Amino acid sequence: MSRKRDFRRLFRGLRFRLTISYAVLFTVLLTGVALAFRARLATKLDDQLQEELNADWAAMKGYMRIEPVLEFGNKICSAWYYDDKDPDETTIVLDTRKIYMVADQYGNPIPDSVTGKPAVSTTYDDVGVDKPADIRKKVMEATASPKPKIFWEERKTSDGEPVRIRGGIVYSERHGAPYYVAVGASYADNVKTLRDYTWVFAAVIPGALILGSLLGYYMAGRALTPVLAVAQAAQRISGSNLSMRIPTRGAGDELDTLILTFNRMIERLEASFQQMRQFSADVSHELRTPITAIRGQLEVALFTAQTTDQYREAMFNALTDIDRLSQIVRALLLLSQAESGQIVLQKSRLNLCEVVDDLVEQFQIPAEAAGVRLTAELPAECSAEADRVQIERMITNLLSNALKFTPEGGAVKMSLQVHPSFVELAVEDNGRGIPTEHLPHIFDRFYRVPGQGTAPTPEQGLGLGLSFVAWIVKAHNGKIEVESTPGKGTRFLIRLPNAGAGSDTMDLAGGVA
Ligand code: ADP
């Protein structure tokens, strides 16, 4: 069973598939090259044969006369004139006479000047002498043609040897009559050469293929080894050892890029794991405090309270803690919905001046109650492409923080400024300020600047307001900054894309500060 699975894995594996593709490509390429080469060789051999036959025909024409011969009663004969002492000439003529024929214009072979028999070689006889009617047709065709005409034919001897015949017209020097002269040559050697070539390739291709495939398999294996190493390293990484990284090989190749990408992904995963861990730790801590308090109040009611007033007080305190608990749960739910993308912004062109003006108006009563002067400095017009509910939530959070952390007699100022590509909203107070070391953390969930007692009081808030503000700014492609001097005051500065300008023209890269 497992062996079967091993086989299946082998065949499905990248290494196997690479080798197969490589082998197929190799076969196609080799066969293609072999066939092209064979075709080229065949043409070359054929051209050579034709050239040889043309040369033979020209030589034959040169050495031969067609004229009346006395011994044969002045019959027109074909006579060969060559120096039989010259070995070269003899070889050429004897070679030519192996396959040849000479016929008159009526298609009848004329006699040989030596033997008196028809000038047709025995081999020509064997391959089949042309019929007189055929020769007549050829002669007519050639004499009608303005250019010298060549006739090619393929024949076979009784032994199956292939012969090519080249025919043409020769005019008698004496009386100008046309004669059909043909020479032939066997090309069995050419056929054999081509056959040998085919056999060699038929033997070489499978051998090369097997060798090439083995080499391909080995090379694919070598190339894939680092991939397997990466996969094994990746397998070892789990939630508990996310700090592990896959070592790069320093080759700077695609695989290193893959490893780097993979490592970056693990880094991001580690960060979100860490965030999740921190979040659950924070949440359980935050929930534990009011739950312990409620338990305490209920124990008081159960074990020590005696009068109705004592019961009422214990119940009242428990209820206050339950309120805080549900406040935390609500805020957390909202924040997690926001951060997981479940809150979809309902953006519209928003008159920010109007929104800020309304909210400052609403906050006048608590500001007066706290003895803080709340003012607004607004331009004539200021708009942004934004979600009204979220922008109101953001300003409310900032304003309530400013009022909360500004002592009696202080001042809180809201201002709006319009720039070509962004609008700037500032909330400034001259309250207690935030120590520099806490500034980087104030946007974290549940983060409250310590120093005002250990246990959080309802006035102190949940430490979630600024996290929400940060999310709202980010969701609007904006940027938030904070400047603060302990004892002197704090200033939150928010930049949002101007509704009038294209958002891509605004340089607010960086999101939340
Ligand atoms: P909270 O709900 O406690 O106000 P936030 O997330 O809104 O939580 O703020 C985080 C912490 O930042 C606050 O607990 C407070 O210590 C500090 N903070 C925020 N705004 C101001 C401000 N205007 N002046 C001084 N401290 C501030």
Side-chain angles (χ1 to χ4, degrees):
M1 184 67 190
S2 89
R3 180 177 282 192
K4 211 169 160 189
R5 210 177 305 136
D6 278 353
F7 266 121
R8 210 175 303 149
R9 199 179 302 152
L10 172 78
F11 292 136
R12 279 202 195 141
L14 199 56
R15 186 178 186 184
F16 183 76
R17 279 188 284 160
L18 268 177
T19 312
I20 287 291
S21 325
Y22 182 71
V24 169
L25 189 82
F26 206 55
T27 315
V28 171
L29 226 111
L30 265 180
T31 316
V33 169
L35 286 179
F37 198 74
R38 191 185 181 284
R40 179 92 192 92
L41 185 68
T43 323
K44 195 99 195 129
L45 288 173
D46 218 57
D47 288 352
Q48 226 168 22
L49 181 71
Q50 281 197 11
E51 261 171 42
E52 271 168 28
L53 277 170
N54 280 338
D56 282 354
W57 196 85
M60 179 173 172
K61 194 179 157 193
Y63 291 117
M64 203 180 64
R65 302 273 181 285
I66 296 170
E67 53 190 22
V69 173
L70 214 61
E71 290 115 273
F72 300 111
N74 254 359
K75 240 185 183 173
I76 299 284
C77 292
S78 57
W80 296 84
Y81 288 94
Y82 68 95
D83 180 1
D84 54 7
K85 304 271 178 323
D86 182 338
D88 283 351
E89 278 188 27
T90 313
T91 320
I92 293 170
V93 169
L94 291 185
D95 247 15
T96 314
R97 292 180 70 170
K98 273 187 196 155
I99 306 177
Y100 87 100
M101 86 170 284
V102 184
D104 63 15
Q105 56 187 304
Y106 309 108
N108 305 313
I110 58 166
D112 186 285
S113 67
V114 181
T115 59
K117 288 188 189 140
V120 176
S121 69
T122 41
T123 321
Y124 209 104
D125 239 350
D126 192 26
V127 298
V129 181
D130 309 58
K131 291 193 188 89
D134 291 341
I135 297 177
R136 275 202 298 277
K137 228 164 89 189
K138 284 180 188 168
V139 172
M140 268 163 67
E141 211 181 297
T143 45
S145 154
K147 277 194 225 154
K149 204 142 171 84
I150 302 172
F151 301 98
W152 294 103
E153 264 179 73
E154 300 283 335
R155 304 266 178 89
K156 266 199 174 122
T157 65
S158 52
D159 303 337
E161 203 177 318
V163 170
R164 174 147 326 151
I165 290 169
R166 190 244 193 244
I169 302 298
V170 172
Y171 292 92
S172 159
E173 278 176 9
R174 187 163 299 203
H175 47 84
Y179 289 85
Y180 179 71
V181 175
V183 285
S186 155
Y187 61 94
D189 282 353
N190 290 4
V191 172
K192 190 173 173 304
T193 310
L194 275 181
R195 199 183 302 133
D196 288 353
Y197 170 87
T198 312
W199 276 114
V200 166
F201 258 90
V204 163
I205 289 181
L209 203 69
I210 293 169
L211 249 161
S213 302
L214 285 176
L215 195 76
Y217 192 69
Y218 169 73
M219 280 180 9
R222 264 186 64 124
L224 290 173
T225 311
V227 178
L228 289 179
V230 171
Q232 275 163 4
Q235 242 166 20
R236 283 197 296 274
I237 298 173
S238 68
S240 54
N241 63 350
L242 271 174
S243 55
M244 215 175 120
R245 296 287 176 271
I246 303 168
T248 49
R249 300 159 319 131
D253 56 4
E254 289 86 347
L255 212 71
D256 267 355
T257 315
L258 179 77
I259 295 173
L260 280 177
T261 316
F262 201 81
N263 281 345
R264 258 179 240 135
M265 187 187 81
I266 301 171
E267 228 163 80
R268 285 197 298 275
L269 267 178
E270 192 186 10
S272 38
F273 253 67
Q274 180 55 34
Q275 223 177 347
M276 250 170 61
R277 262 196 289 257
Q278 185 62 41
F279 183 62
S280 26
D282 289 347
V283 168
S284 47
H285 176 78
E286 288 305 315
L287 295 183
R288 208 169 35 230
T289 317
I291 287 173
T292 317
I294 293 166
R295 191 191 163 89
Q297 304 298 346
L298 293 179
E299 276 173 358
V300 167
L302 200 61
F303 301 120
T304 53
Q306 277 155 8
T307 64
T308 320
D309 278 351
Q310 281 170 334
Y311 272 116
R312 285 176 74 91
E313 196 191 332
M315 289 299 163
F316 179 79
N317 288 343
L319 265 181
T320 314
D321 283 323
I322 286 174
D323 268 355
R324 186 174 170 81
L325 202 64
S326 48
Q327 217 183 334
I328 295 177
V329 171
R330 255 200 320 272
L332 270 177
L333 201 69
L334 202 64
L335 194 61
S336 73
Q337 276 176 343
E339 289 184 349
S340 61
Q342 286 177 51
I343 297 182
V344 182
L345 292 188
Q346 307 288 329
K347 281 189 185 174
S348 62
R349 200 183 171 93
L350 196 64
N351 184 345
L352 280 177
C353 292
E354 195 189 295
V355 174
V356 172
D357 204 31
D358 283 355
L359 286 171
V360 168
E361 191 64 39
Q362 279 177 35
F363 271 86
Q364 283 305 340
I365 299 168
E368 271 172 33
V372 174
R373 200 161 67 88
L374 175 61
T375 54
E377 198 179 292
L378 306 173
E381 211 200 300
C382 176
S383 58
E385 199 61 33
D387 182 324
R388 175 182 276 272
V389 176
Q390 304 303 342
I391 294 292
E392 281 180 352
R393 185 172 277 152
M394 176 184 90
I395 298 172
T396 305
N397 271 321
L398 291 173
L399 272 182
S400 60
N401 272 352
L403 290 177
K404 211 160 37 175
F405 300 108
T406 305
E408 206 176 336
V412 172
K413 190 174 102 185
M414 271 216 73
S415 62
L416 265 177
Q417 269 184 21
V418 185
H419 294 268
S421 61
F422 59 91
V423 292
E424 199 172 71
L425 186 139
V427 181
E428 210 173 333
D429 64 59
N430 58 3
R432 74 169 199 222
I434 305 166
T436 321
E437 68 271 24
H438 295 291
L439 276 179
H441 307 291
I442 57 166
F443 295 101
D444 295 348
R445 291 189 195 101
F446 298 117
Y447 196 84
R448 286 166 296 230
V449 177
Q452 276 79 40
T454 42
T457 63
E459 296 76 39
Q460 246 184 309
L462 306 172
L464 291 174
L466 285 181
S467 310
F468 215 82
V469 168
W471 173 78
I472 296 169
V473 174
K474 196 176 170 195
H476 283 85
N477 299 321
K479 191 174 177 181
I480 183 165
E481 280 171 18
V482 56
E483 294 161 6
S484 188
T485 316
K488 291 220 165 130
T490 308
R491 181 169 182 253
F492 284 92
L493 203 73
I494 290 157
R495 286 178 182 162
L496 297 176
N498 191 337
S503 60
D504 48 358
T505 57
M506 192 188 75
D507 179 24
L508 290 182
V512 176

